[in-house]
Amino acid sequence: MNYTGLWKERLGIAYLDPAPDRQRVIVLLHGLGADAESWVFQYPVLIAAGFRPLAPDLPGFGRSAAYAQRWSVKRTAEKLAAWLAALGVERFSLVGHSMGGAVAQELALICAERVEKLVLVNTFAHLRIRFSGETRYLTRRFVTLNFRGLDQQAAQVAERVFPREDQTIWRELVVEKILQASPRVYRQAMLSLAVFDARRKAKKLSMPALVVTSEEDTTIAPSIQTELASRLPNARQVRIEQSGHAVLIDQAEEFNRTLLTFLRER
């Protein structure tokens, strides 16, 4: 899909709205350092199924300007709630990947009566269950960002997310996308994610929920995602084999089938 001419802007948030004539809105929130084009393999499938995908570049990432205050998961969710209100979106399903999953949880709390279904992909309610490999990995990323720069940190992330030899093009794209982000916002987002804790609040998210877990995710361990699913009152967890953190891309067909199956359930 060619996105030229499809970009829109409202309240300082750039977003893609490739099927504005559809009625069933599904909001898609990208991960750290990514942007709305992360969902390139989901747009055609969702549109064909009758949905209206709405995918913002989160503030400070991609084409969206950073807001003046310090970046945080909660503040970003509040900005998105105002953005959706400005667009006149009353009811919607919500999908969040990684960092976008944390933001989605906060947004779902703000808009609890308006969220029809919640899909959380390779994300977490809290990272500090133990001093895990994920915590050490995020610490290394933060150190690299502060002492070696965003470009070195981008390369580190790209190698972790797309480790195979045949994924060179995706590694290059990850680096390109991360370097578009505001270094200040990227740093603040990492800190906000490190202290994010929705474990107690998760019980308020009573809408039907799906936690999608990649079996080979080395960024957010499947056990942490199981912890998230266990705290949501009306959730189930689906595991996708032979997929890493970027399941939207490396197992797009299986992810799309899983997503549409859930969205079509009554």
Side-chain angles (χ1 to χ4, degrees):
M1 181 181 292
N2 186 348
Y3 298 104
T4 304
L6 292 180
W7 285 97
K8 301 178 182 179
E9 186 274 334
R10 195 68 175 267
L11 299 183
I13 294 178
Y15 63 98
L16 286 171
D17 183 12
D21 56 321
R22 303 294 198 275
Q23 298 301 311
R24 296 183 65 189
V25 175
I26 182 165
V27 178
L28 307 170
L29 305 183
H30 65 76
L32 179 63
D35 62 16
E37 292 183 354
S38 299
W39 308 95
V40 60
F41 294 125
Q42 283 70 57
Y43 293 132
V45 173
L46 289 169
I47 293 168
F51 289 92
R52 177 190 177 187
L54 272 178
D57 283 357
L58 297 181
F61 297 93
R63 300 178 182 220
S64 291
Y67 44 78
Q69 307 98 317
R70 183 178 185 83
W71 198 99
S72 73
V73 170
K74 184 176 181 180
R75 186 169 286 126
T76 297
E78 292 169 348
K79 298 289 183 183
L80 290 178
W83 168 71
L84 287 168
L87 293 179
V89 175
E90 295 183 359
R91 293 188 63 77
F92 57 96
S93 292
L94 180 58
V95 184
H97 174 244
S98 194
M99 178 185 78
V103 176
Q105 291 170 68
E106 288 288 351
L107 180 58
L109 287 166
I110 296 170
C111 304
E113 299 302 318
R114 296 161 55 200
V115 176
E116 295 177 341
K117 293 191 175 184
L118 177 64
V119 182
L120 302 172
V121 185
N122 290 341
T123 190
F124 55 92
H126 184 54
L127 281 178
R128 293 182 180 177
I129 298 172
R130 61 189 183 281
F131 191 68
S132 61
E134 294 73 29
T135 308
R136 290 192 293 272
Y137 169 57
L138 288 175
T139 301
R140 286 198 302 272
R141 285 177 60 178
F142 188 74
V143 170
T144 301
L145 175 62
N146 282 275
F147 292 97
R148 299 181 65 188
L150 189 58
D151 56 341
Q152 293 295 313
Q153 198 266 175
Q156 185 182 70
V157 172
E159 288 289 341
R160 180 96 171 196
V161 175
F162 292 112
R164 301 200 314 259
E165 290 185 8
D166 62 346
Q167 295 177 324
T168 300
I169 188 171
W170 294 113
R171 286 194 293 273
E172 293 173 351
L173 186 59
V174 166
V175 171
E176 176 186 328
K177 294 295 184 182
I178 289 177
L179 293 180
Q180 291 176 1
S182 159
R184 175 183 64 84
V185 168
Y186 200 103
R187 186 179 298 109
Q188 292 175 355
M190 290 190 70
L191 289 171
S192 184
L193 292 171
V195 300
F196 177 74
D197 190 349
R199 289 176 295 178
R200 292 185 179 180
K201 296 183 286 188
K203 63 184 179 182
K204 298 179 182 179
L205 298 174
S206 59
M207 68 285 294
L210 179 69
V211 175
V212 180
T213 298
S214 294
E215 289 282 12
E216 299 173 11
D217 190 349
T218 60
T219 300
I220 307 298
S223 60
I224 290 178
Q225 300 180 48
T226 300
E227 165 76 7
L228 166 62
S230 71
R231 291 181 178 274
L232 297 167
N234 193 16
R236 72 173 186 268
Q237 184 179 23
V238 172
R239 294 173 179 261
I240 297 181
E241 298 180 354
Q242 298 181 324
S243 63
H245 192 62
V247 64
L248 315 175
I249 295 170
D250 66 25
Q251 286 290 348
E253 290 187 10
E254 183 61 28
F255 173 76
N256 291 343
R257 280 194 293 269
T258 300
L259 177 61
L260 285 180
T261 297
F262 176 66
L263 293 174
R264 287 168 172 160
E265 291 174 355
R266 296 189 179 277

